[in-house]
Every structure is written in structure tokens, then in C-alpha cells.
PDB file of all heavy atoms in Angstrom:
ATOM      1  N   ASP A 853     200.936  98.444  65.202  1.00 96.00           N
ATOM      2  CA  ASP A 853     199.392  98.649  65.346  1.00 96.00           C
ATOM      3  C   ASP A 853     198.591  98.075  64.158  1.00 96.00           C
ATOM      4  O   ASP A 853     197.480  97.771  64.386  1.00 96.00           O
ATOM      5  CB  ASP A 853     199.162 100.202  65.519  1.00 96.00           C
ATOM      6  CG  ASP A 853     199.668 100.981  64.300  1.00 96.00           C
ATOM      7  OD1 ASP A 853     200.613 100.485  63.596  1.00 96.00           O
ATOM      8  OD2 ASP A 853     199.355 102.120  64.174  1.00 96.00           O
ATOM      9  N   GLU A 854     199.288  97.965  63.032  1.00 96.00           N
ATOM     10  CA  GLU A 854     198.544  97.263  61.813  1.00 96.00           C
ATOM     11  C   GLU A 854     198.411  95.831  62.125  1.00 96.00           C
ATOM     12  O   GLU A 854     197.268  95.322  61.802  1.00 96.00           O
ATOM     13  CB  GLU A 854     199.438  97.540  60.744  1.00 96.00           C
ATOM     14  CG  GLU A 854     198.878  97.345  59.291  1.00 96.00           C
ATOM     15  CD  GLU A 854     199.759  97.640  58.260  1.00 96.00           C
ATOM     16  OE1 GLU A 854     200.878  98.196  58.482  1.00 96.00           O
ATOM     17  OE2 GLU A 854     199.487  97.243  56.984  1.00 96.00           O
ATOM     18  N   VAL A 855     199.262  95.148  62.699  1.00 96.00           N
ATOM     19  CA  VAL A 855     199.150  93.744  63.035  1.00 96.00           C
ATOM     20  C   VAL A 855     197.909  93.561  64.083  1.00 96.00           C
ATOM     21  O   VAL A 855     197.200  92.650  63.908  1.00 96.00           O
ATOM     22  CB  VAL A 855     200.425  93.045  63.517  1.00 96.00           C
ATOM     23  CG1 VAL A 855     200.267  91.694  64.156  1.00 96.00           C
ATOM     24  CG2 VAL A 855     201.552  93.056  62.516  1.00 96.00           C
ATOM     25  N   GLU A 856     198.043  94.407  64.962  1.00 96.00           N
ATOM     26  CA  GLU A 856     197.001  94.224  66.077  1.00 96.00           C
ATOM     27  C   GLU A 856     195.615  94.515  65.583  1.00 96.00           C
ATOM     28  O   GLU A 856     194.571  93.872  65.916  1.00 96.00           O
ATOM     29  CB  GLU A 856     197.400  95.025  67.278  1.00 96.00           C
ATOM     30  CG  GLU A 856     198.529  94.535  67.956  1.00 96.00           C
ATOM     31  CD  GLU A 856     199.094  95.366  69.143  1.00 96.00           C
ATOM     32  OE1 GLU A 856     198.305  96.347  69.540  1.00 96.00           O
ATOM     33  OE2 GLU A 856     200.245  95.205  69.579  1.00 96.00           O
ATOM     34  N   ALA A 857     195.579  95.547  64.590  1.00 97.00           N
ATOM     35  CA  ALA A 857     194.282  95.832  64.088  1.00 97.00           C
ATOM     36  C   ALA A 857     193.777  94.771  63.202  1.00 97.00           C
ATOM     37  O   ALA A 857     192.426  94.569  63.149  1.00 97.00           O
ATOM     38  CB  ALA A 857     194.371  97.179  63.254  1.00 97.00           C
ATOM     39  N   GLN A 858     194.590  94.026  62.454  1.00 97.00           N
ATOM     40  CA  GLN A 858     194.217  92.947  61.698  1.00 97.00           C
ATOM     41  C   GLN A 858     193.547  91.760  62.592  1.00 97.00           C
ATOM     42  O   GLN A 858     192.574  91.137  62.252  1.00 97.00           O
ATOM     43  CB  GLN A 858     195.257  92.337  60.837  1.00 97.00           C
ATOM     44  CG  GLN A 858     195.753  93.201  59.788  1.00 97.00           C
ATOM     45  CD  GLN A 858     196.991  92.806  59.058  1.00 97.00           C
ATOM     46  OE1 GLN A 858     197.332  93.457  58.038  1.00 97.00           O
ATOM     47  NE2 GLN A 858     197.573  91.695  59.445  1.00 97.00           N
ATOM     48  N   TRP A 859     194.254  91.602  63.704  1.00 97.00           N
ATOM     49  CA  TRP A 859     193.789  90.562  64.743  1.00 97.00           C
ATOM     50  C   TRP A 859     192.389  90.994  65.315  1.00 97.00           C
ATOM     51  O   TRP A 859     191.680  90.031  65.724  1.00 97.00           O
ATOM     52  CB  TRP A 859     194.873  90.255  65.719  1.00 97.00           C
ATOM     53  CG  TRP A 859     195.782  89.165  65.284  1.00 97.00           C
ATOM     54  CD1 TRP A 859     197.131  89.267  64.938  1.00 97.00           C
ATOM     55  CD2 TRP A 859     195.446  87.828  64.948  1.00 97.00           C
ATOM     56  NE1 TRP A 859     197.592  88.030  64.635  1.00 97.00           N
ATOM     57  CE2 TRP A 859     196.588  87.140  64.535  1.00 97.00           C
ATOM     58  CE3 TRP A 859     194.247  87.129  65.019  1.00 97.00           C
ATOM     59  CZ2 TRP A 859     196.681  85.866  64.200  1.00 97.00           C
ATOM     60  CZ3 TRP A 859     194.246  85.792  64.639  1.00 97.00           C
ATOM     61  CH2 TRP A 859     195.479  85.114  64.325  1.00 97.00           C
ATOM     62  N   ARG A 860     192.252  92.220  65.467  1.00 97.00           N
ATOM     63  CA  ARG A 860     190.924  92.633  66.201  1.00 97.00           C
ATOM     64  C   ARG A 860     189.845  92.346  65.315  1.00 97.00           C
ATOM     65  O   ARG A 860     188.627  92.161  65.792  1.00 97.00           O
ATOM     66  CB  ARG A 860     190.978  94.091  66.528  1.00 97.00           C
ATOM     67  CG  ARG A 860     191.934  94.394  67.745  1.00 97.00           C
ATOM     68  CD  ARG A 860     191.803  95.872  68.235  1.00 97.00           C
ATOM     69  NE  ARG A 860     192.504  95.950  69.569  1.00 97.00           N
ATOM     70  CZ  ARG A 860     193.759  96.383  69.661  1.00 97.00           C
ATOM     71  NH1 ARG A 860     194.469  96.588  68.548  1.00 97.00           N
ATOM     72  NH2 ARG A 860     194.399  96.510  70.830  1.00 97.00           N
ATOM     73  N   ILE A 861     190.089  92.213  64.005  1.00 97.00           N
ATOM     74  CA  ILE A 861     188.967  91.873  63.060  1.00 97.00           C
ATOM     75  C   ILE A 861     188.644  90.325  63.109  1.00 97.00           C
ATOM     76  O   ILE A 861     187.562  89.833  63.152  1.00 97.00           O
ATOM     77  CB  ILE A 861     189.329  92.322  61.630  1.00 97.00           C
ATOM     78  CG1 ILE A 861     189.322  93.826  61.467  1.00 97.00           C
ATOM     79  CG2 ILE A 861     188.207  91.824  60.625  1.00 97.00           C
ATOM     80  CD1 ILE A 861     189.904  94.366  60.244  1.00 97.00           C
ATOM     81  N   CYS A 862     189.766  89.572  63.124  1.00 96.00           N
ATOM     82  CA  CYS A 862     189.577  88.158  62.957  1.00 96.00           C
ATOM     83  C   CYS A 862     189.569  87.279  64.247  1.00 96.00           C
ATOM     84  O   CYS A 862     189.030  86.154  64.294  1.00 96.00           O
ATOM     85  CB  CYS A 862     190.868  87.669  62.120  1.00 96.00           C
ATOM     86  SG  CYS A 862     190.838  88.256  60.403  1.00 96.00           S
ATOM     87  N   ASP A 863     190.096  87.968  65.401  1.00 96.00           N
ATOM     88  CA  ASP A 863     190.175  87.105  66.684  1.00 96.00           C
ATOM     89  C   ASP A 863     188.791  86.755  67.175  1.00 96.00           C
ATOM     90  O   ASP A 863     188.697  85.631  67.542  1.00 96.00           O
ATOM     91  CB  ASP A 863     190.882  88.040  67.636  1.00 96.00           C
ATOM     92  CG  ASP A 863     191.313  87.144  68.841  1.00 96.00           C
ATOM     93  OD1 ASP A 863     192.124  86.222  68.759  1.00 96.00           O
ATOM     94  OD2 ASP A 863     190.721  87.439  69.993  1.00 96.00           O
ATOM     95  N   PRO A 864     187.751  87.564  67.065  1.00 96.00           N
ATOM     96  CA  PRO A 864     186.410  87.030  67.504  1.00 96.00           C
ATOM     97  C   PRO A 864     185.993  85.807  66.680  1.00 96.00           C
ATOM     98  O   PRO A 864     185.221  84.976  67.253  1.00 96.00           O
ATOM     99  CB  PRO A 864     185.470  88.330  67.359  1.00 96.00           C
ATOM    100  CG  PRO A 864     186.421  89.442  67.398  1.00 96.00           C
ATOM    101  CD  PRO A 864     187.714  89.019  66.696  1.00 96.00           C
ATOM    102  N   VAL A 865     186.208  85.871  65.444  1.00 96.00           N
ATOM    103  CA  VAL A 865     185.900  84.768  64.522  1.00 96.00           C
ATOM    104  C   VAL A 865     186.548  83.524  65.007  1.00 96.00           C
ATOM    105  O   VAL A 865     186.023  82.381  65.098  1.00 96.00           O
ATOM    106  CB  VAL A 865     185.955  85.038  63.064  1.00 96.00           C
ATOM    107  CG1 VAL A 865     185.602  83.854  62.242  1.00 96.00           C
ATOM    108  CG2 VAL A 865     185.358  86.318  62.663  1.00 96.00           C
ATOM    109  N   VAL A 866     187.885  83.621  65.164  1.00 94.00           N
ATOM    110  CA  VAL A 866     188.729  82.442  65.538  1.00 94.00           C
ATOM    111  C   VAL A 866     188.210  81.927  66.804  1.00 94.00           C
ATOM    112  O   VAL A 866     188.024  80.630  66.985  1.00 94.00           O
ATOM    113  CB  VAL A 866     190.141  82.944  65.651  1.00 94.00           C
ATOM    114  CG1 VAL A 866     191.014  81.899  66.389  1.00 94.00           C
ATOM    115  CG2 VAL A 866     190.848  83.292  64.359  1.00 94.00           C
ATOM    116  N   ARG A 867     187.873  82.733  67.829  1.00 94.00           N
ATOM    117  CA  ARG A 867     187.501  82.173  69.092  1.00 94.00           C
ATOM    118  C   ARG A 867     186.201  81.553  69.017  1.00 94.00           C
ATOM    119  O   ARG A 867     185.942  80.557  69.754  1.00 94.00           O
ATOM    120  CB  ARG A 867     187.517  83.364  70.207  1.00 94.00           C
ATOM    121  CG  ARG A 867     188.900  83.987  70.405  1.00 94.00           C
ATOM    122  CD  ARG A 867     188.790  85.003  71.483  1.00 94.00           C
ATOM    123  NE  ARG A 867     190.149  85.512  71.768  1.00 94.00           N
ATOM    124  CZ  ARG A 867     191.109  84.965  72.518  1.00 94.00           C
ATOM    125  NH1 ARG A 867     190.769  83.760  73.216  1.00 94.00           N
ATOM    126  NH2 ARG A 867     192.227  85.488  72.728  1.00 94.00           N
ATOM    127  N   ARG A 868     185.176  82.160  68.291  1.00 94.00           N
ATOM    128  CA  ARG A 868     183.926  81.492  68.055  1.00 94.00           C
ATOM    129  C   ARG A 868     183.997  80.207  67.433  1.00 94.00           C
ATOM    130  O   ARG A 868     183.354  79.240  67.911  1.00 94.00           O
ATOM    131  CB  ARG A 868     183.071  82.531  67.264  1.00 94.00           C
ATOM    132  CG  ARG A 868     181.661  82.212  67.193  1.00 94.00           C
ATOM    133  CD  ARG A 868     180.738  83.498  66.845  1.00 94.00           C
ATOM    134  NE  ARG A 868     181.067  83.840  65.464  1.00 94.00           N
ATOM    135  CZ  ARG A 868     181.307  85.139  65.248  1.00 94.00           C
ATOM    136  NH1 ARG A 868     181.591  86.110  66.120  1.00 94.00           N
ATOM    137  NH2 ARG A 868     181.622  85.465  63.942  1.00 94.00           N
ATOM    138  N   TRP A 869     184.870  80.083  66.411  1.00 93.00           N
ATOM    139  CA  TRP A 869     184.919  78.748  65.707  1.00 93.00           C
ATOM    140  C   TRP A 869     185.637  77.731  66.685  1.00 93.00           C
ATOM    141  O   TRP A 869     185.139  76.563  66.561  1.00 93.00           O
ATOM    142  CB  TRP A 869     185.815  78.923  64.470  1.00 93.00           C
ATOM    143  CG  TRP A 869     185.063  79.589  63.287  1.00 93.00           C
ATOM    144  CD1 TRP A 869     183.735  79.846  63.332  1.00 93.00           C
ATOM    145  CD2 TRP A 869     185.598  79.945  62.029  1.00 93.00           C
ATOM    146  NE1 TRP A 869     183.348  80.414  62.055  1.00 93.00           N
ATOM    147  CE2 TRP A 869     184.472  80.523  61.277  1.00 93.00           C
ATOM    148  CE3 TRP A 869     186.797  79.921  61.498  1.00 93.00           C
ATOM    149  CZ2 TRP A 869     184.730  81.054  59.985  1.00 93.00           C
ATOM    150  CZ3 TRP A 869     186.986  80.542  60.153  1.00 93.00           C
ATOM    151  CH2 TRP A 869     185.996  80.934  59.484  1.00 93.00           C
ATOM    152  N   GLU A 870     186.537  78.136  67.488  1.00 89.00           N
ATOM    153  CA  GLU A 870     187.170  77.138  68.433  1.00 89.00           C
ATOM    154  C   GLU A 870     186.023  76.553  69.441  1.00 89.00           C
ATOM    155  O   GLU A 870     186.243  75.521  69.886  1.00 89.00           O
ATOM    156  CB  GLU A 870     188.271  77.789  69.145  1.00 89.00           C
ATOM    157  CG  GLU A 870     189.513  78.032  68.293  1.00 89.00           C
ATOM    158  CD  GLU A 870     190.609  78.827  69.060  1.00 89.00           C
ATOM    159  OE1 GLU A 870     190.324  79.399  70.130  1.00 89.00           O
ATOM    160  OE2 GLU A 870     191.737  78.827  68.503  1.00 89.00           O
ATOM    161  N   ASP A 871     185.039  77.329  69.733  1.00 89.00           N
ATOM    162  CA  ASP A 871     184.063  76.909  70.693  1.00 89.00           C
ATOM    163  C   ASP A 871     182.905  76.148  70.024  1.00 89.00           C
ATOM    164  O   ASP A 871     182.166  75.539  70.834  1.00 89.00           O
ATOM    165  CB  ASP A 871     183.436  78.056  71.378  1.00 89.00           C
ATOM    166  CG  ASP A 871     184.306  78.972  72.217  1.00 89.00           C
ATOM    167  OD1 ASP A 871     185.326  78.329  72.683  1.00 89.00           O
ATOM    168  OD2 ASP A 871     184.096  80.163  72.417  1.00 89.00           O
ATOM    169  N   GLU A 872     182.925  76.051  68.670  1.00 85.00           N
ATOM    170  CA  GLU A 872     181.966  75.215  67.959  1.00 85.00           C
ATOM    171  C   GLU A 872     182.470  73.837  67.653  1.00 85.00           C
ATOM    172  O   GLU A 872     183.544  73.710  67.051  1.00 85.00           O
ATOM    173  CB  GLU A 872     181.404  76.003  66.710  1.00 85.00           C
ATOM    174  CG  GLU A 872     180.859  77.321  66.976  1.00 85.00           C
ATOM    175  CD  GLU A 872     180.464  78.184  65.822  1.00 85.00           C
ATOM    176  OE1 GLU A 872     180.905  77.742  64.628  1.00 85.00           O
ATOM    177  OE2 GLU A 872     179.795  79.190  65.877  1.00 85.00           O
ATOM    178  N   ALA A 873     181.709  72.893  67.836  1.00 75.00           N
ATOM    179  CA  ALA A 873     182.116  71.480  67.732  1.00 75.00           C
ATOM    180  C   ALA A 873     181.523  70.772  66.684  1.00 75.00           C
ATOM    181  O   ALA A 873     181.805  69.712  66.399  1.00 75.00           O
ATOM    182  CB  ALA A 873     181.993  70.758  69.097  1.00 75.00           C
ATOM    183  N   GLU A 874     180.632  71.324  65.987  1.00 79.00           N
ATOM    184  CA  GLU A 874     179.813  70.534  64.887  1.00 79.00           C
ATOM    185  C   GLU A 874     180.652  70.284  63.776  1.00 79.00           C
ATOM    186  O   GLU A 874     181.583  71.141  63.491  1.00 79.00           O
ATOM    187  CB  GLU A 874     178.535  71.180  64.588  1.00 79.00           C
ATOM    188  CG  GLU A 874     178.700  72.504  63.835  1.00 79.00           C
ATOM    189  CD  GLU A 874     178.692  73.703  64.727  1.00 79.00           C
ATOM    190  OE1 GLU A 874     178.872  73.508  66.076  1.00 79.00           O
ATOM    191  OE2 GLU A 874     178.674  74.887  64.294  1.00 79.00           O
ATOM    192  N   PRO A 875     180.522  69.123  62.972  1.00 85.00           N
ATOM    193  CA  PRO A 875     181.267  68.933  61.831  1.00 85.00           C
ATOM    194  C   PRO A 875     181.126  69.958  60.779  1.00 85.00           C
ATOM    195  O   PRO A 875     180.049  70.547  60.722  1.00 85.00           O
ATOM    196  CB  PRO A 875     180.633  67.591  61.366  1.00 85.00           C
ATOM    197  CG  PRO A 875     180.017  66.955  62.563  1.00 85.00           C
ATOM    198  CD  PRO A 875     179.547  68.117  63.292  1.00 85.00           C
ATOM    199  N   LEU A 876     182.232  70.213  59.975  1.00 93.00           N
ATOM    200  CA  LEU A 876     182.172  71.289  59.039  1.00 93.00           C
ATOM    201  C   LEU A 876     181.460  70.700  57.755  1.00 93.00           C
ATOM    202  O   LEU A 876     181.578  69.543  57.418  1.00 93.00           O
ATOM    203  CB  LEU A 876     183.518  71.703  58.757  1.00 93.00           C
ATOM    204  CG  LEU A 876     184.388  72.291  59.969  1.00 93.00           C
ATOM    205  CD1 LEU A 876     185.723  72.912  59.535  1.00 93.00           C
ATOM    206  CD2 LEU A 876     183.607  73.262  60.712  1.00 93.00           C
ATOM    207  N   VAL A 877     181.039  71.743  57.041  1.00 94.00           N
ATOM    208  CA  VAL A 877     180.444  71.427  55.616  1.00 94.00           C
ATOM    209  C   VAL A 877     181.638  71.005  54.762  1.00 94.00           C
ATOM    210  O   VAL A 877     182.711  71.509  54.896  1.00 94.00           O
ATOM    211  CB  VAL A 877     179.872  72.742  55.017  1.00 94.00           C
ATOM    212  CG1 VAL A 877     179.622  72.506  53.446  1.00 94.00           C
ATOM    213  CG2 VAL A 877     178.639  73.205  55.752  1.00 94.00           C
ATOM    214  N   GLN A 878     181.471  69.895  53.913  1.00 96.00           N
ATOM    215  CA  GLN A 878     182.498  69.316  53.048  1.00 96.00           C
ATOM    216  C   GLN A 878     182.195  69.791  51.715  1.00 96.00           C
ATOM    217  O   GLN A 878     181.070  69.897  51.218  1.00 96.00           O
ATOM    218  CB  GLN A 878     182.378  67.820  53.131  1.00 96.00           C
ATOM    219  CG  GLN A 878     182.697  67.174  54.517  1.00 96.00           C
ATOM    220  CD  GLN A 878     184.149  67.309  54.840  1.00 96.00           C
ATOM    221  OE1 GLN A 878     184.913  66.766  54.166  1.00 96.00           O
ATOM    222  NE2 GLN A 878     184.509  67.927  55.975  1.00 96.00           N
ATOM    223  N   TYR A 879     183.289  70.049  50.952  1.00 97.00           N
ATOM    224  CA  TYR A 879     183.143  70.543  49.491  1.00 97.00           C
ATOM    225  C   TYR A 879     184.128  69.525  48.868  1.00 97.00           C
ATOM    226  O   TYR A 879     185.160  69.198  49.266  1.00 97.00           O
ATOM    227  CB  TYR A 879     183.426  71.839  49.243  1.00 97.00           C
ATOM    228  CG  TYR A 879     184.776  72.410  49.500  1.00 97.00           C
ATOM    229  CD1 TYR A 879     185.741  72.413  48.647  1.00 97.00           C
ATOM    230  CD2 TYR A 879     185.064  72.828  50.909  1.00 97.00           C
ATOM    231  CE1 TYR A 879     187.130  72.816  48.942  1.00 97.00           C
ATOM    232  CE2 TYR A 879     186.295  73.324  51.166  1.00 97.00           C
ATOM    233  CZ  TYR A 879     187.376  73.263  50.178  1.00 97.00           C
ATOM    234  OH  TYR A 879     188.632  73.711  50.553  1.00 97.00           O
ATOM    235  N   PRO A 880     183.768  69.122  47.626  1.00 96.00           N
ATOM    236  CA  PRO A 880     184.576  68.168  46.803  1.00 96.00           C
ATOM    237  C   PRO A 880     186.000  68.864  46.439  1.00 96.00           C
ATOM    238  O   PRO A 880     185.973  69.902  45.872  1.00 96.00           O
ATOM    239  CB  PRO A 880     183.862  67.699  45.470  1.00 96.00           C
ATOM    240  CG  PRO A 880     182.424  68.168  45.928  1.00 96.00           C
ATOM    241  CD  PRO A 880     182.473  69.310  46.802  1.00 96.00           C
TER     242      PRO A 880
END
């Protein structure tokens, strides 16, 4: 249940980022 609780926090972010296609900010 701990593993799944961690994923419930991060999974929406992962899915949102996968749907976004714009180039990422670059840092040196």
C-alpha cells in the first residue's frame, strides 16, 4: 500500500508530462 500511495502522488504528473510535447527548459 506504501508503493501504491507513492504512485498516486506522482502518476498524474507523469501522465501529464507524457502528453506535453513542447521542448524542455535547458540548464547548463
Side-chain angles (χ1 to χ4, degrees):
D853 56 343
E854 197 174 347
V855 171
E856 292 176 16
Q858 290 174 176
W859 271 116
R860 286 191 172 90
I861 296 168
C862 293
D863 194 64
V865 180
V866 169
R867 295 183 181 280
R868 191 160 62 234
W869 283 355
E870 287 177 345
D871 293 338
E872 295 174 352
E874 66 270 14
L876 301 188
V877 170
Q878 300 280 305
Y879 62 95

